[in-house]
Amino acid sequence: DAEITQSPRHKITETGRQVTLACHQTWNHNNMFWYRQDLGHGLRLIHYSYGVQDTNKGEVSDGYSVSRSNTEDLPLTLESAASSQTSVYFCASSPYKNTEAFFGQGTRLTVV
Amino acid sequence: QQQVKQSPQSLIVQKGGIPIINCAYENTAFDYFPWYQQFPGKGPALLIAIRPDVSEKKEGRFTISFNKSAKQFSLHIMDSQPGDSATYFCAALLGGSARQLTFGSGTQLTVLP
Protein backbone atom coordinates (compact mmCIF):
# COMPACT_ATOMS: atom_id res chain seq x y z
CA ASP A 1 0.00 0.00 0.00
CA ALA A 2 1.11 3.54 -0.70
CA GLU A 3 2.12 5.46 2.37
CA ILE A 4 4.05 8.35 3.85
CA THR A 5 6.79 7.60 6.36
CA GLN A 6 8.85 9.80 8.61
CA SER A 7 12.15 9.01 10.25
CA PRO A 8 13.30 9.00 12.91
CA ARG A 9 10.19 8.81 15.09
CA HIS A 10 12.08 10.29 18.04
CA LYS A 11 15.21 12.39 18.11
CA ILE A 12 17.16 14.12 20.86
CA THR A 13 19.81 16.58 19.79
CA GLU A 14 21.93 19.32 21.28
CA THR A 15 21.57 23.03 20.73
CA GLY A 16 23.51 24.19 17.71
CA ARG A 17 23.64 20.88 15.89
CA GLN A 18 22.30 20.39 12.39
CA VAL A 19 19.42 17.92 12.24
CA THR A 20 17.63 16.42 9.24
CA LEU A 21 14.21 14.81 9.43
CA ALA A 22 13.25 12.50 6.61
CA CYS A 23 9.89 12.23 4.84
CA HIS A 24 9.18 9.69 2.11
CA GLN A 25 5.89 9.11 0.28
CA THR A 26 5.03 6.41 -2.22
CA TRP A 27 1.84 7.95 -3.63
CA ASN A 28 3.70 9.98 -6.26
CA HIS A 29 2.03 13.13 -4.91
CA ASN A 30 3.27 16.44 -6.24
CA ASN A 31 2.56 18.42 -3.08
CA MET A 32 4.48 17.88 0.14
CA PHE A 33 4.37 19.84 3.38
CA TRP A 34 6.13 20.10 6.71
CA TYR A 35 4.22 21.19 9.82
CA ARG A 36 5.15 21.54 13.44
CA GLN A 37 2.64 20.83 16.18
CA ASP A 38 2.78 22.62 19.51
CA LEU A 39 0.18 22.70 22.25
CA GLY A 40 -2.15 25.64 21.78
CA HIS A 41 -0.93 26.36 18.26
CA GLY A 42 -2.30 23.49 16.26
CA LEU A 43 -0.30 22.68 13.16
CA ARG A 44 1.80 25.43 11.65
CA LEU A 45 3.26 25.25 8.17
CA ILE A 46 7.05 25.34 7.96
CA HIS A 47 7.84 24.70 4.29
CA TYR A 48 6.08 23.20 1.33
CA SER A 49 6.79 22.00 -2.19
CA TYR A 50 4.56 21.67 -5.25
CA GLY A 51 7.02 19.57 -7.21
CA VAL A 52 10.64 18.67 -7.86
CA GLN A 53 12.99 21.63 -7.39
CA ASP A 54 10.12 23.73 -5.99
CA THR A 55 10.26 24.86 -2.34
CA ASN A 56 8.39 27.60 -0.51
CA LYS A 57 8.43 29.13 2.95
CA GLY A 58 5.51 28.73 5.26
CA GLU A 59 4.36 30.58 8.35
CA VAL A 60 7.25 29.50 10.62
CA SER A 61 10.19 28.86 8.28
CA ASP A 62 13.00 30.65 10.16
CA GLY A 63 15.77 28.19 11.07
CA TYR A 64 14.49 25.48 8.72
CA SER A 65 15.22 24.49 5.14
CA VAL A 66 13.99 21.88 2.67
CA SER A 67 15.05 20.54 -0.69
CA ARG A 68 13.09 18.52 -3.26
CA SER A 69 15.31 16.50 -5.58
CA ASN A 70 12.68 13.86 -6.39
CA THR A 71 8.93 13.37 -6.07
CA GLU A 72 9.09 10.96 -3.13
CA ASP A 73 11.21 12.84 -0.58
CA LEU A 74 11.16 16.17 1.24
CA PRO A 75 13.78 16.24 4.00
CA LEU A 76 13.55 19.00 6.60
CA THR A 77 16.82 20.42 7.93
CA LEU A 78 17.28 22.44 11.09
CA GLU A 79 20.45 24.38 10.37
CA SER A 80 21.37 25.04 14.01
CA ALA A 81 18.91 23.46 16.40
CA ALA A 82 17.43 25.68 19.12
CA SER A 83 15.35 24.77 22.18
CA SER A 84 12.41 26.63 20.62
CA GLN A 85 12.41 23.99 17.88
CA THR A 86 11.50 21.24 20.33
CA SER A 87 8.23 20.04 18.84
CA VAL A 88 6.45 17.28 16.99
CA TYR A 89 7.01 17.52 13.25
CA PHE A 90 4.57 16.18 10.67
CA CYS A 91 5.11 15.65 7.00
CA ALA A 92 2.12 15.54 4.66
CA SER A 93 1.45 15.08 0.97
CA SER A 94 -1.45 15.68 -1.37
CA PRO A 95 -2.20 15.00 -5.01
CA TYR A 96 -2.00 17.83 -7.52
CA LYS A 97 -5.19 19.93 -7.45
CA ASN A 98 -6.66 17.64 -4.81
CA THR A 99 -7.54 18.85 -1.36
CA GLU A 100 -6.99 16.01 1.06
CA ALA A 101 -3.60 15.94 2.78
CA PHE A 102 -2.20 12.66 4.08
CA PHE A 103 0.00 12.90 7.15
CA GLY A 104 2.91 10.84 8.37
CA GLN A 105 3.17 9.51 11.93
CA GLY A 106 5.28 12.41 13.12
CA THR A 107 8.78 12.92 14.53
CA ARG A 108 9.17 14.06 18.10
CA LEU A 109 12.27 16.26 18.28
CA THR A 110 13.79 17.39 21.55
CA VAL A 111 16.57 19.97 21.55
CA VAL A 112 18.56 20.04 24.79
CA GLN B 1 -2.74 37.09 8.52
CA GLN B 2 -4.79 34.06 7.65
CA GLN B 3 -6.33 32.60 10.78
CA VAL B 4 -8.75 29.95 11.85
CA LYS B 5 -9.89 30.22 15.46
CA GLN B 6 -11.08 27.06 17.18
CA SER B 7 -12.91 26.50 20.46
CA PRO B 8 -13.07 25.02 23.00
CA GLN B 9 -9.51 23.89 23.69
CA SER B 10 -10.79 20.83 25.54
CA LEU B 11 -14.12 19.13 25.92
CA ILE B 12 -15.38 16.30 28.12
CA VAL B 13 -18.71 14.58 27.46
CA GLN B 14 -20.45 11.45 28.57
CA LYS B 15 -20.94 8.55 26.18
CA GLY B 16 -23.94 9.28 23.97
CA GLY B 17 -23.53 13.04 24.29
CA ILE B 18 -23.16 15.43 21.35
CA PRO B 19 -19.90 17.36 21.54
CA ILE B 20 -19.75 20.48 19.39
CA ILE B 21 -16.50 22.10 18.26
CA ASN B 22 -16.57 25.54 16.72
CA CYS B 23 -14.33 27.33 14.27
CA ALA B 24 -14.32 30.82 12.81
CA TYR B 25 -12.33 32.21 9.93
CA GLU B 26 -11.56 35.63 8.53
CA ASN B 27 -10.44 35.17 4.95
CA THR B 28 -13.38 34.81 2.56
CA ALA B 29 -11.02 33.34 -0.05
CA PHE B 30 -11.02 30.02 1.84
CA ASP B 31 -12.98 27.52 -0.25
CA TYR B 32 -12.60 24.17 1.50
CA PHE B 33 -13.03 23.37 5.18
CA PRO B 34 -11.83 19.96 6.40
CA TRP B 35 -11.81 18.49 9.88
CA TYR B 36 -8.96 16.26 10.96
CA GLN B 37 -8.95 13.69 13.76
CA GLN B 38 -5.75 12.84 15.56
CA PHE B 39 -5.15 10.00 18.02
CA PRO B 40 -2.15 10.05 20.39
CA GLY B 41 1.08 9.16 18.62
CA LYS B 42 -0.50 9.35 15.18
CA GLY B 43 -0.69 11.89 12.42
CA PRO B 44 -3.92 13.79 11.72
CA ALA B 45 -6.35 12.04 9.39
CA LEU B 46 -9.13 13.60 7.34
CA LEU B 47 -12.51 13.07 9.00
CA ILE B 48 -14.99 15.12 6.99
CA ALA B 49 -14.91 18.24 4.84
CA ILE B 50 -17.29 20.83 3.43
CA ARG B 51 -17.33 23.55 0.77
CA PRO B 52 -18.90 26.96 1.47
CA ASP B 53 -21.79 26.46 -0.97
CA VAL B 54 -23.23 23.78 1.36
CA SER B 55 -24.73 24.52 4.80
CA GLU B 56 -24.47 21.02 6.24
CA LYS B 57 -22.73 17.75 5.55
CA LYS B 58 -23.18 14.43 7.34
CA GLU B 59 -20.97 11.37 7.30
CA GLY B 60 -22.08 8.72 9.74
CA ARG B 61 -22.16 10.25 13.21
CA PHE B 62 -20.17 13.32 12.17
CA THR B 63 -21.86 16.50 10.90
CA ILE B 64 -20.39 19.79 9.76
CA SER B 65 -22.60 22.86 9.97
CA PHE B 66 -21.45 25.83 7.90
CA ASN B 67 -22.59 29.46 8.20
CA LYS B 68 -21.04 31.40 5.34
CA SER B 69 -22.40 34.81 6.37
CA ALA B 70 -21.02 34.46 9.90
CA LYS B 71 -17.80 32.85 8.64
CA GLN B 72 -18.21 30.02 11.12
CA PHE B 73 -18.38 26.26 10.94
CA SER B 74 -18.74 23.54 13.51
CA LEU B 75 -18.35 19.81 14.00
CA HIS B 76 -21.04 17.80 15.77
CA ILE B 77 -20.49 14.21 16.87
CA MET B 78 -23.74 12.36 17.38
CA ASP B 79 -23.98 9.53 19.92
CA SER B 80 -20.34 10.02 20.91
CA GLN B 81 -18.32 6.98 21.95
CA PRO B 82 -15.15 6.57 24.04
CA GLY B 83 -13.36 5.65 20.79
CA ASP B 84 -14.03 9.19 19.55
CA SER B 85 -11.68 10.51 22.21
CA ALA B 86 -9.03 12.32 20.18
CA THR B 87 -7.83 15.77 19.18
CA TYR B 88 -9.86 17.44 16.47
CA PHE B 89 -8.55 20.15 14.18
CA CYS B 90 -10.55 22.34 11.88
CA ALA B 91 -8.75 23.72 8.86
CA ALA B 92 -9.31 25.95 5.87
CA LEU B 93 -7.83 25.89 2.39
CA LEU B 94 -7.29 28.90 0.19
CA GLY B 95 -8.65 28.72 -3.32
CA GLY B 96 -6.45 29.12 -6.35
CA SER B 97 -2.96 27.78 -6.80
CA ALA B 98 -1.80 28.17 -3.19
CA ARG B 99 -3.20 24.91 -1.82
CA GLN B 100 -2.08 25.26 1.78
CA LEU B 101 -4.10 24.29 4.81
CA THR B 102 -4.43 26.69 7.74
CA PHE B 103 -5.27 24.82 10.94
CA GLY B 104 -7.13 25.76 14.07
CA SER B 105 -5.45 25.23 17.43
CA GLY B 106 -7.18 21.92 18.13
CA THR B 107 -9.75 20.55 20.59
CA GLN B 108 -8.95 17.64 22.85
CA LEU B 109 -12.15 15.61 23.19
CA THR B 110 -12.66 13.06 25.95
CA VAL B 111 -15.74 10.85 25.88
CA LEU B 112 -16.34 9.19 29.22
CA PRO B 113 -17.76 5.64 29.27
Side-chain angles (χ1 to χ4, degrees):
Chain A
D1 287 343
E3 60 181 2
I4 181 167
T5 56
Q6 294 183 232
S7 62
R9 292 295 311 277
H10 302 272
K11 174 77 175 178
I12 299 175
T13 191
E14 295 178 344
T15 301
R17 288 190 178 271
Q18 184 181 78
V19 177
T20 297
L21 309 183
C23 176
H24 179 80
Q25 53 99 1
T26 59
W27 284 302
N28 203 36
H29 287 169
N30 283 301
N31 306 329
M32 295 186 72
F33 310 86
W34 274 103
Y35 292 88
R36 60 177 289 174
Q37 183 176 19
D38 305 285
L39 190 64
H41 291 279
L43 291 130
R44 292 181 292 175
L45 184 63
I46 305 172
H47 281 286
Y48 58 99
S49 169
Y50 291 147
V52 176
Q53 302 301 328
D54 176 75
T55 60
N56 306 279
K57 294 181 178 180
E59 177 188 357
V60 290
S61 62
D62 287 349
Y64 303 95
S65 64
V66 294
S67 61
R68 187 92 180 268
S69 58
N70 58 53
T71 301
E72 296 80 16
D73 299 289
L74 187 70
L76 177 71
T77 298
L78 285 68
E79 304 294 344
S80 177
S83 58
S84 60
Q85 294 176 308
T86 292
S87 185
V88 180
Y89 291 85
F90 287 98
C91 179
S93 71
S94 68
Y96 180 66
K97 292 185 178 179
N98 200 301
T99 51
E100 179 174 359
F102 298 86
F103 283 80
Q105 298 273 55
T107 294
R108 182 174 294 277
L109 176 68
T110 303
V111 182
V112 298
Chain B
Q1 183 178 357
Q2 304 157 5
Q3 281 191 329
V4 177
K5 296 182 179 179
Q6 182 172 348
S7 63
Q9 184 174 355
S10 64
L11 188 55
I12 301 174
V13 299
Q14 294 286 340
K15 177 182 175 181
I18 306 175
I20 301 172
I21 304 171
N22 300 298
C23 286
Y25 63 97
E26 299 173 357
N27 192 338
T28 55
F30 288 135
D31 69 352
Y32 179 71
F33 299 88
W35 285 88
Y36 282 80
Q37 180 187 54
Q38 184 182 30
F39 294 105
K42 302 293 185 182
L46 181 67
L47 184 63
I48 185 173
I50 196 168
R51 295 199 179 274
D53 55 347
V54 176
S55 61
E56 184 176 276
K57 184 174 182 179
K58 292 182 180 181
E59 287 188 5
R61 295 184 293 106
F62 299 91
T63 299
I64 301 178
S65 297
F66 192 88
N67 186 329
K68 187 175 181 179
S69 61
K71 294 187 285 186
Q72 296 174 346
F73 58 109
S74 59
L75 177 70
H76 302 234
I77 305 175
M78 310 302 289
D79 187 27
S80 59
Q81 301 295 313
D84 296 328
S85 297
T87 300
Y88 293 82
F89 293 95
C90 62
L93 189 69
L94 273 176
S97 60
R99 308 301 291 177
Q100 308 153 37
L101 284 167
T102 299
F103 284 86
S105 55
T107 297
Q108 187 169 347
L109 172 66
T110 302
V111 181
L112 300 174

